Amino acid sequence: MSRHIAQYFNDVIHEVTGATKSNGHRKANDADSEDEEAHVGPTEMDMKELKKAHSLLQELWRASPDALQNVIPLLEVQLSAEDQHLRLLATNTIGDIISGIGAAGPPPPPAMDPAAYPPINLEDVPFLPYSDSILTTPASPQSFSQTHSTVYHSFMGRKNDKTSVIRAGWTRAVGRILVTSAGGIGLSREEESSMVRALGEKLNDADDKVRLAAVKAVGGFSFRDIISKLAPNGSVTKSGSVLCSLADRARDRKHPVRIEAMTALGRIWGVAAGEIASGNESVITALGAIPSKIIDVYYANDLELNVLLDHVMFEQLLPLKYPPGKSKGKATNGDSHVATNGTAGFNADKIRLERILLLVKSLDPKSKKAFFVMQARQPMFAKVLKAFLTRCEEYNGGVMEGNAKEIKAKLDTVVKWLADLLPDPLRTSNDLLRYAKLHDRRSYQLLRFAVAPENDFKMVHNSIKEFSKRIETAPGAPAGLLQVLMPIIYRSSSLIYNKSHLPYIMQYAKSDEDGLGAVAHEIMHEISDKHPKIFEDNVADLCKSLAEQAPTASKQNDAGSVEVLKAVALFAKNPNSSKNIPRDRKFISTLMSFAQYGMPPKAAKYAVSILMATSNKKEMHAKDLMEKSTKDWEYGQDHFLSKLATISQLTFLEPSVAEDFGDEIIDITTQQLLMQVRTPSESDDPKWKSDSDLDEEGQAKLWAIRILVNRLRAVTDKENAKEYSGPVYALLNKLIEKDGEISKDKPTPRHHAARLRCLAAQSILKLCTNKMFEAYTAPKDFNRLACVVQDPIENVRRGMVEKLQKYLVKNKLPVRFYTIMFLTAFEPNTAFLASIVTWIRSRAKLLQHQPARPMESVLPRLISVLAHHPDFGLEPAELVDQARYIVFYLSCVVSEENLPLVYKYAERVKQARDALSTSDEDKDNIYIMSDLATYLIKSWQEKKGWVMQTWAGKVGLPVGLYAGLPSHEVAQEIAKKPYLPDPETIESSLDKLVRDAEKTKKRKSDDRDGNSNPTKKQRSEAKPRNSISKKDKPVKIRKTPSKPKRQKPELSTPDNVERRKSGRGASAKKVYADIDDEDADEEMLNGVAKWDYLNSDDERMEEEEDGSGDEEDQDEDVEVPDAEPEPEAEEAEPEPEPEPEEEEADEPPSDIEPEPEPEAETPEPSPPKSNGRKLPNRGSAKKGAAPTPKAATTPAKKKVGNVTPVKSKAKAPIVERKGTRSSGRNK
């Protein structure tokens, strides 16, 4: 029988392949047409017959594999055929044979329903795919790899086929083999491991069809297969593993791949949520980070990805239908669980909340920040959607009475706002207008039900379901309308923060059931801050729970009451919502008890905030609390920390009452706390301790600083502010200057000193949010403050940077504080540095259209800070270190559009003198930095292939940092003189620095140490310091004999006398004095209209001013998180990633506030133009330079906007040397 079977298949296969040449061409049958070849490859009829034969092969293998001993080798010939159709058919057939799949096809996909309840248990999942039909049940009687090893190895070799279609088919086949365990016969450990690794490789294939096939293959695995077969290869966070590669595909460049990957990831986690909640360590390790990987795509700031994220969030991670209200029969995911609505203990709202808390708990800090930002946009989207519905009603399906144009214009405004936040704005606009023409009043009401914060989750969900059915069945609805509307509905509806969930959030927060208490507190805090309307109905219950937990002199409060107090305090800050807080005597007494005895001290702080916001007799209560807190205060007595927290709040909220206790406050804070050292300093003291680990003395000193700062912040009179600010600023500056040391008698423990200098720096930032106090921060104090971001301890650096970002995002600090961010160039924590870079780029993009151009105007300030930096030196290695700050600035801020302005600012520095210089030794530092900056900008221009044109406008310099020059002759001398020491030696190092900037680094696994190669130059405690840097690679010396060697370059302003003369008058009485008032930022950019030349004795100078931000914070002590954290934008594909900053839509409707969305990270610009100071393209001129725009080559100088093209100037050849140090040095 086997001989006849072999003969049959040999005839069929030979009929197709035998008449085909080895190169895939049929032989010519006609002898007279030797020069003509027949049609390439087998015909359609041939392929049809061949497929029949292959299907029969699959069934014969399942029934009698021994009969195919002489047939299987024929398939190996097909695997090597030139024709891709033959190879693909052979690949699919062998894959199905190994999998035990017959002609009826593969088994149905495994049940993976993330909305099933009860959630799946690992024990409930069958080991092999289950099928109701024997025809689709995989069955392989023999191990194919052992029986036909040669054919098996040829099949495995197809993974590297040159044709992507074959690789995709092979990937699908391998997925089936793994899912079916080779038809139930099993795979050896080596075979399974090899296939899993190969599947991971295909997830990173260069062709998107192969990647898509790999993602679908992984999506076909059952929960058990994922844990038993894929998880051993590595978790989601392990670089190179299958699961990690699948997570990376969420940011694939091809949207179909992203859709499959995100959906598969969300479905996997949704199914695994039950095991994760029950604490299965293997599942948590393998899949626990999936939510972070999914939500991290929010940082890509891609509109298509954002819509996809909405769908995955509410269809896979947190399905709207989870848990099912009614279940009939067996649960979807298993055989053993039956869930009915009548089951004892079934509470749909609590079950859904548990899934939400579990999701938030699974997030890392970065993705959690993005998650909260996504929820914070809901009130704004709800407001816009309601406005859209109102406009639709006015539009009345196109039949309007009255002013039709105005009604249509209002509708178009809202439609444009919504369309700009979705992909394909044109299609979105058209579909939304068609929806308005439908004029379905019932759908309008359903949407209002969905977005109303007073509705429970069941009503919201039912409204969305009914709305979806109505749109799908509406006769006039365009195809795809629901697809456009659903993302808007997801973003507008109360789906996660819902009033139905709030009672159970409070229950989890109080009981810490299943370890979800901390997450419940976080969500409660977010609701009270961002969604106070949801909080209104339950605030009375919270206050009642506080009354039950009120402490006394002998009884402590519950630890969870602190978070409840914090949530109520945030709620109380809103005058409208605070009306719902009880004002009865019992609750006031509760707050008084917390203010005196609450522990930890923050409980007292929040209690005072609530009391001052709600009490009708707050002055009386404030005086009573202040007397009890200050009377006979002594370090170490009972509740002495709570008393300090109470004093701290009262000094800010009730300054008139606190003023009567001024002497007691000063004595407690300075004499009894700050000037005393009670804890001995030991050599093995930790560098840092968190709040929970910090001893009482450390906490007391921190509260002492807060008291003094709050006392100053409460001052509103300028005269009193000047009197009070002197001692406070002296204390804070001394703490920063002395590295946290203040006592003259005993050394302060290291962890105390670190906490003190961190709080001192943060306190100065807080004070500077008030313009009146910001003026007291002198330039030298500002330079000292800036160096805190280079502190040796990461916690100090991070605390400073995060507080700075918070205030800058809220526009509470002047522009000059952006300068500090660029001193983080040497940050050793690569992940933290990446988030800083993303944040800066995000802010730069947001501010680029402001007339004041704040990010560009920061460069002169940065030059001044670097010129007076403790590490400034004239050695080449030291200057290269300084150059890294400039390159960091260029990489984050500069684009082709603003390059001329940045260059203008760098040049402009040499038209003034250093106002901070105290000796002849450092007076030229700003000129050295100016030459360094201009050289780096030119090199950056070359690297990008841009054409830099001259900035025609005038720019000013900050008064207080720069002063006027005494005469025109001095100005010319400075402009012509090159200040870089030994420029030919240093240029090679600078060029290498520019070349290496922004190099894409290989992505590191989350499991690896990201700090193994620190790249930051830290601020050290002693002056002789060694900076840590990566070792430079040897520099390749380019040979350019055809280029003439230039003389020392003039790196300052070009020798253009007429241009220089145009900026000043001819009088001999003029000085280089600039006007700079950042309260009117345009004035700074307009520069100086006239230049006065006077003797130095007659120079007119003004005090440095900076535009201040908003007025002082409301209650400082209620720590309010950023209203909208900034998701640091990130490229759609590569790492490093970012921090969430919310993007803003272009222009909201007139009656709607703009909606913040995450801002995109500025992508690396494509090479456009170069500047008037065009330089030869070093080392690449022969390869083809970037095309030069006509504007730069036109003979006539045509002025375009604010930019005037000028003639290019040649640049000297580069002199490079090997072994240049980048940062390590001793001063």
Side-chain angles (χ1 to χ4, degrees):
M1 177 65 75
S2 62
R3 182 170 58 85
H4 292 293
I5 292 173
Q7 183 63 43
Y8 166 75
F9 282 107
N10 185 61
D11 292 343
V12 174
I13 295 174
H14 185 268
E15 183 180 350
V16 177
T17 61
T20 306
K21 290 183 177 181
S22 60
N23 62 358
H25 296 277
R26 286 182 179 275
K27 297 179 180 178
N29 294 324
D30 190 353
D32 297 331
S33 57
E34 293 181 357
D35 296 334
E36 297 180 4
E37 292 291 344
H39 180 68
V40 176
T43 64
E44 184 177 348
M45 186 60 68
D46 292 337
M47 290 301 300
K48 187 175 181 180
E49 291 298 321
L50 196 57
K51 286 179 181 177
K52 288 182 182 179
H54 280 238
S55 297
L56 185 55
L57 270 178
Q58 294 174 226
E59 288 297 333
L60 282 172
W61 176 266
R62 286 160 54 90
S64 178
D66 293 334
L68 301 178
Q69 289 293 329
N70 298 323
V71 179
I72 297 298
L74 296 176
L75 294 177
E76 185 177 8
V77 178
Q78 283 185 250
L79 284 173
S80 304
E82 281 292 323
D83 187 85
Q84 71 175 28
H85 300 92
L86 296 177
R87 295 203 311 278
L88 178 59
L89 183 58
T91 301
N92 291 337
T93 301
I94 294 177
D96 286 346
I97 288 175
I98 299 174
S99 302
I101 296 173
M112 296 276 284
D113 183 7
Y117 185 82
I120 190 172
N121 289 326
L122 211 50
E123 299 81 31
D124 300 330
V125 185
F127 285 90
L128 293 175
Y130 173 78
S131 176
D132 294 329
S133 171
I134 191 173
L135 296 177
T136 56
T137 300
S140 179
Q142 294 181 2
S143 172
F144 186 91
S145 60
Q146 295 178 9
T147 308
H148 302 282
S149 58
T150 305
V151 182
Y152 175 80
H153 288 300
S154 297
F155 166 77
M156 292 299 292
R158 287 305 94 202
K159 74 174 182 179
N160 297 322
D161 195 284
K162 63 183 179 181
T163 306
S164 61
V165 177
I166 311 299
R167 298 199 304 275
W170 182 89
T171 302
R172 286 190 293 270
V174 165
R176 290 179 178 180
I177 294 170
L178 289 169
V179 167
T180 62
S181 293
I185 201 69
L187 293 166
S188 69
R189 184 178 300 175
E190 293 76 15
E191 290 170 346
E192 182 176 294
S193 177
S194 174
M195 286 188 176
V196 169
R197 287 197 304 270
L199 188 59
E201 292 172 9
K202 296 302 109 180
L203 283 167
N204 298 304
D205 194 273
D207 192 276
D208 61 287
K209 292 188 290 294
V210 181
R211 299 197 301 273
L212 182 60
V215 171
K216 289 182 176 179
V218 176
F221 280 57
S222 68
F223 182 32
R224 180 180 292 279
D225 289 335
I226 291 169
I227 298 302
S228 63
K229 297 174 182 176
L230 300 184
N233 181 249
S235 69
V236 174
T237 58
K238 183 179 179 182
S239 181
S241 69
V242 174
L243 293 174
C244 183
S245 298
L246 177 66
D248 289 343
R249 298 284 60 78
R251 288 177 283 114
D252 197 277
R253 296 189 182 278
K254 298 293 183 179
H255 194 56
V257 181
R258 298 195 298 229
I259 293 175
E260 288 293 334
M262 290 268 284
T263 304
L265 279 172
R267 183 170 60 246
I268 290 170
W269 188 87
V271 171
E275 288 290 341
I276 293 174
S278 62
N280 189 320
E281 285 299 328
S282 61
V283 178
I284 293 173
T285 302
L287 308 176
I290 283 180
S292 295
K293 295 290 185 179
I294 291 176
I295 294 177
D296 274 352
V297 304
Y298 188 70
Y299 290 98
N301 202 37
D302 181 277
L303 295 180
E304 286 185 332
L305 266 179
N306 289 344
V307 170
L308 177 58
L309 179 58
D310 293 328
H311 283 286
V312 173
M313 178 71 74
F314 297 110
E315 293 167 14
Q316 306 297 336
L317 296 176
L318 302 171
L320 297 187
K321 57 184 180 179
Y322 175 83
K326 294 180 181 179
S327 298
K328 296 180 182 179
K330 295 180 180 180
T332 309
N333 277 334
D335 312 70
S336 59
H337 290 283
V338 178
T340 63
N341 208 22
T343 301
F346 181 87
N347 187 318
D349 290 329
K350 184 176 181 180
I351 292 169
R352 179 170 177 80
L353 175 66
E354 183 183 10
R355 173 72 68 90
I356 294 172
L357 295 178
L358 185 64
L359 173 71
V360 178
K361 184 180 179 181
S362 301
L363 300 176
D364 59 33
K366 178 185 160 192
S367 52
K368 186 183 294 184
K369 196 173 185 181
F371 176 83
F372 287 143
V373 170
M374 292 171 64
Q375 310 319 312
R377 68 187 177 180
Q378 185 269 332
M380 175 55 63
F381 265 96
K383 187 176 181 181
V384 176
L385 183 56
K386 287 190 285 188
F388 172 66
L389 298 177
T390 302
R391 300 291 175 248
C392 288
E393 289 172 335
E394 295 172 353
Y395 186 65
N396 197 30
V399 181
M400 294 163 280
E401 297 180 1
N403 195 341
K405 284 188 177 180
E406 182 180 350
I407 293 173
K408 182 65 165 60
K410 289 181 178 179
L411 176 62
D412 289 341
T413 302
V414 184
V415 166
K416 182 182 183 303
W417 193 91
L418 291 169
D420 287 344
L421 297 176
L422 296 175
D424 198 353
L426 181 60
R427 178 201 166 184
T428 302
S429 299
N430 292 335
D431 284 350
L432 290 176
L433 291 175
R434 289 175 185 171
Y435 172 74
K437 290 181 180 179
L438 289 178
H439 198 50
D440 185 354
R441 293 183 178 276
R442 174 59 180 169
S443 69
Y444 297 163
Q445 189 58 42
L446 290 172
L447 290 181
R448 288 193 171 99
F449 286 149
V451 302
E454 62 270 14
N455 292 334
D456 60 19
F457 180 79
K458 184 177 181 181
M459 177 177 284
V460 172
H461 183 207
N462 289 339
S463 300
I464 294 175
K465 281 201 302 184
E466 184 181 344
F467 176 84
S468 301
K469 291 178 181 177
R470 289 187 69 86
I471 296 300
E472 287 174 346
T473 58
L481 176 59
L482 189 62
Q483 183 182 358
V484 171
L485 290 172
M486 284 312 296
I488 299 174
I489 296 172
Y490 285 149
R491 298 176 188 183
S492 308
S493 304
S494 302
L495 296 174
I496 293 182
Y497 296 162
N498 189 276
K499 64 174 292 184
S500 301
H501 302 147
L502 201 53
Y504 303 105
I505 293 176
M506 296 162 56
Q507 179 180 325
Y508 274 103
K510 184 176 180 180
S511 64
D512 194 25
E513 183 181 343
D514 298 327
L516 298 174
V519 179
H521 280 301
E522 285 186 81
I523 291 184
M524 188 164 61
H525 172 271
E526 287 290 318
I527 293 176
S528 63
D529 186 26
K530 307 290 191 339
H531 304 261
K533 289 187 178 180
I534 298 175
F535 206 75
E536 285 178 359
D537 295 339
N538 297 87
V539 68
D541 294 336
L542 284 177
C543 295
K544 183 179 178 181
S545 69
L546 289 174
E548 296 171 355
Q549 303 170 23
T552 63
S554 58
K555 171 193 167 186
Q556 284 194 353
N557 55 279
D558 293 342
S561 60
V562 181
E563 295 297 333
V564 177
L565 284 164
K566 184 177 182 180
V568 177
L570 287 170
F571 187 76
K573 289 184 67 174
N574 188 329
N576 296 324
S577 59
S578 63
K579 297 175 183 177
N580 297 316
I581 297 177
R583 287 173 166 78
D584 57 277
R585 182 178 299 179
K586 182 179 180 182
F587 185 62
I588 296 297
S589 175
T590 298
L591 295 177
M592 293 287 287
S593 298
F594 273 105
Q596 297 176 74
Y597 311 115
M599 287 300 291
K602 284 188 176 182
K605 159 182 148 179
Y606 298 132
V608 173
S609 299
I610 301 169
L611 184 63
M612 294 299 105
T614 58
S615 174
N616 296 324
K617 301 178 181 179
K618 59 181 182 180
E619 289 187 8
M620 180 188 74
H621 295 308
K623 186 174 182 180
D624 185 26
L625 286 175
M626 188 64 82
E627 285 180 351
K628 292 179 179 179
S629 299
T630 57
K631 185 178 180 181
D632 299 327
W633 186 93
E634 184 179 346
Y635 177 85
Q637 66 183 185
D638 292 340
H639 310 292
F640 76 102
L641 290 176
S642 301
K643 294 178 181 179
L644 291 176
T646 298
I647 295 171
S648 174
Q649 279 300 90
L650 291 175
T651 53
F652 181 73
L653 299 176
E654 286 297 324
S656 58
V657 173
E659 189 64 27
D660 297 335
F661 298 87
D663 293 339
E664 291 88 341
I665 291 173
I666 295 298
D667 178 68
I668 292 172
T669 54
T670 57
Q671 300 302 321
Q672 298 192 50
L673 289 175
L674 292 174
M675 302 306 295
Q676 301 293 326
V677 178
R678 296 177 174 87
T679 304
S681 177
E682 305 290 346
S683 58
D684 58 349
D685 281 339
K687 294 180 179 180
W688 179 270
K689 279 189 177 182
S690 62
D691 287 341
S692 57
D693 298 329
L694 191 62
D695 55 72
E696 289 185 340
E697 183 183 9
Q699 294 184 56
K701 288 187 175 182
L702 296 181
W703 282 113
I705 293 177
R706 293 188 185 108
I707 290 171
L708 295 175
V709 171
N710 282 348
R711 187 165 177 257
L712 176 58
R713 291 176 60 218
V715 176
T716 55
D717 182 70
K718 287 189 176 181
E719 292 299 323
N720 291 337
K722 189 173 182 181
E723 176 186 353
Y724 284 31
S725 62
V728 175
Y729 267 90
L731 170 67
L732 299 177
N733 287 322
K734 185 176 180 181
L735 285 171
I736 295 174
E737 183 181 6
K738 302 294 185 183
D739 292 331
E741 184 62 71
I742 192 173
S743 174
K744 299 179 180 179
D745 302 328
K746 298 180 181 179
T748 302
R750 285 196 299 177
H751 54 284
H752 285 187
R755 293 298 304 263
L756 288 171
R757 67 176 177 269
C758 181
L759 181 60
Q762 292 175 332
S763 299
I764 291 179
L765 293 179
K766 186 183 291 290
L767 289 170
C768 288
T769 58
N770 187 324
K771 184 179 178 181
M772 180 171 61
F773 298 123
E774 192 272 335
Y776 299 129
T777 304
K780 292 185 177 180
D781 296 332
F782 179 86
N783 292 350
R784 188 184 303 114
L785 174 68
C787 289
V788 176
V789 299
Q790 297 182 319
D791 195 274
I793 299 175
E794 180 181 346
N795 300 86
V796 177
R797 301 194 304 270
R798 187 179 290 272
M800 174 68 174
V801 168
E802 289 177 352
K803 183 69 72 173
L804 181 60
Q805 288 175 331
K806 171 183 173 180
Y807 290 142
L808 288 173
V809 167
K810 294 182 177 181
N811 296 319
K812 290 188 173 184
L813 287 174
V815 171
R816 68 166 170 165
F817 283 86
Y818 279 102
T819 311
I820 300 176
M821 295 300 299
F822 297 103
L823 293 189
T824 60
F826 288 85
E827 171 59 47
N829 186 326
T830 53
F832 186 37
L833 179 62
S835 71
I836 292 172
V837 169
T838 303
W839 185 90
I840 295 175
R841 289 176 177 172
S842 175
R843 297 302 296 170
K845 182 173 183 180
L846 181 68
L847 301 173
Q848 65 183 351
H849 299 300
Q850 290 192 5
R853 307 300 291 264
M855 297 302 278
E856 291 84 354
S857 66
V858 159
L859 182 59
R861 298 184 180 277
L862 179 60
I863 288 175
S864 176
V865 170
L866 295 178
H868 297 279
H869 194 277
D871 290 336
F872 183 87
L874 299 181
E875 293 297 322
E878 294 173 319
L879 289 176
V880 169
D881 278 350
Q882 300 300 97
R884 286 185 63 177
Y885 296 109
I886 303 295
V887 170
F888 182 65
Y889 170 85
L890 297 177
S891 66
C892 294
V893 173
V894 172
S895 63
E896 180 210 3
E897 183 272 335
N898 66 3
L899 183 68
L901 178 57
V902 172
Y903 187 83
K904 180 86 170 183
Y905 271 116
E907 282 188 319
R908 183 70 178 80
V909 170
K910 293 189 73 173
Q911 299 172 9
R913 65 178 177 84
D914 190 352
L916 304 182
S917 175
T918 56
S919 65
D920 292 339
E921 295 179 0
D922 62 358
K923 68 177 183 179
D924 291 340
N925 289 2
I926 59 169
Y927 305 139
I928 296 172
M929 290 305 306
S930 174
D931 281 356
L932 196 64
T934 52
Y935 184 89
L936 290 169
I937 293 171
K938 292 176 185 177
S939 298
W940 193 263
Q941 167 213 340
E942 280 189 15
K943 174 186 174 180
K944 296 292 187 182
W946 295 338
V947 177
M948 182 166 64
Q949 299 171 331
T950 300
W951 185 267
K954 297 174 183 176
V955 297
L957 296 176
V959 175
L961 301 182
Y962 297 95
L965 293 172
S967 66
H968 175 61
E969 290 74 18
V970 173
Q972 282 191 323
E973 179 185 351
I974 293 173
K976 292 180 180 180
K977 179 181 177 181
Y979 283 87
L980 274 182
D982 195 9
E984 293 187 354
T985 303
I986 198 175
E987 279 182 10
S988 62
S989 299
L990 296 179
D991 292 334
K992 181 181 184 302
L993 184 64
V994 171
R995 287 196 306 272
D996 292 346
E998 289 187 326
K999 278 191 175 178
T1000 304
K1001 298 180 181 178
K1002 185 177 179 181
R1003 185 181 176 194
K1004 293 184 179 180
S1005 161
D1006 294 343
D1007 292 342
R1008 298 178 184 175
D1009 181 10
N1011 300 333
S1012 56
N1013 292 318
T1015 57
K1016 172 186 177 290
K1017 179 177 71 172
Q1018 297 186 11
R1019 177 184 173 224
S1020 55
E1021 300 180 10
K1023 201 153 190 181
R1025 65 186 90 193
N1026 289 327
S1027 303
I1028 302 173
S1029 68
K1030 292 183 179 178
K1031 185 176 179 181
D1032 289 344
K1033 295 179 180 178
V1035 180
K1036 295 181 180 178
I1037 302 176
R1038 298 194 185 102
K1039 298 180 180 180
T1040 53
S1042 60
K1043 295 184 181 180
K1045 188 174 181 180
R1046 70 172 182 184
Q1047 301 299 322
K1048 287 186 178 181
E1050 294 187 8
L1051 297 175
S1052 60
T1053 57
D1055 191 7
N1056 189 335
V1057 178
E1058 291 187 1
R1059 183 181 67 80
R1060 288 177 54 80
K1061 285 185 178 178
S1062 65
R1064 58 179 181 265
S1067 170
K1069 276 186 161 184
K1070 308 208 164 188
V1071 292
Y1072 286 93
D1074 286 324
I1075 301 171
D1076 178 28
D1077 184 359
E1078 287 187 7
D1079 293 331
D1081 286 326
E1082 291 103 5
E1083 198 169 333
M1084 175 176 174
L1085 286 178
N1086 289 336
V1088 181
K1090 295 182 180 180
W1091 303 92
D1092 293 327
Y1093 294 99
L1094 292 176
N1095 295 330
S1096 58
D1097 295 336
D1098 297 326
E1099 287 177 1
R1100 178 180 59 84
M1101 293 304 302
E1102 297 177 7
E1103 184 178 350
E1104 179 182 348
E1105 294 182 6
D1106 280 287
S1108 177
D1110 298 345
E1111 291 302 314
E1112 63 189 16
D1113 293 347
Q1114 192 62 354
D1115 183 358
E1116 178 271 351
D1117 300 59
V1118 181
E1119 289 291 331
V1120 186
D1122 293 355
E1124 310 195 275
E1126 299 201 273
E1128 309 148 316
E1130 154 180 302
E1131 295 283 344
E1133 175 78 346
E1135 301 277 348
E1137 310 151 16
E1139 261 194 50
E1141 192 162 319
E1142 301 189 20
E1143 75 179 6
E1144 295 185 2
D1146 291 340
E1147 212 35 68
S1150 57
D1151 55 347
I1152 300 172
E1153 299 175 13
E1155 154 63 6
E1157 286 262 305
E1159 301 166 8
E1161 176 179 353
T1162 308
E1164 182 174 302
S1166 56
K1169 308 166 189 134
S1170 165
N1171 151 19
R1173 321 192 146 311
K1174 184 178 172 188
L1175 304 168
N1177 211 356
R1178 296 186 296 240
S1180 59
K1182 295 181 181 180
K1183 296 180 182 178
T1188 305
K1190 288 184 178 180
T1193 57
T1194 306
K1197 292 184 180 179
K1198 185 177 179 181
K1199 199 168 184 179
V1200 183
N1202 208 22
V1203 179
T1204 305
V1206 297
K1207 186 177 178 181
S1208 304
K1209 292 203 173 186
K1211 185 176 179 181
I1214 304 151
V1215 179
E1216 300 187 347
R1217 61 191 178 90
K1218 296 185 178 180
T1220 305
R1221 290 186 303 153
S1222 67
S1223 65
R1225 68 189 185 283
N1226 292 324
K1227 281 196 74 170

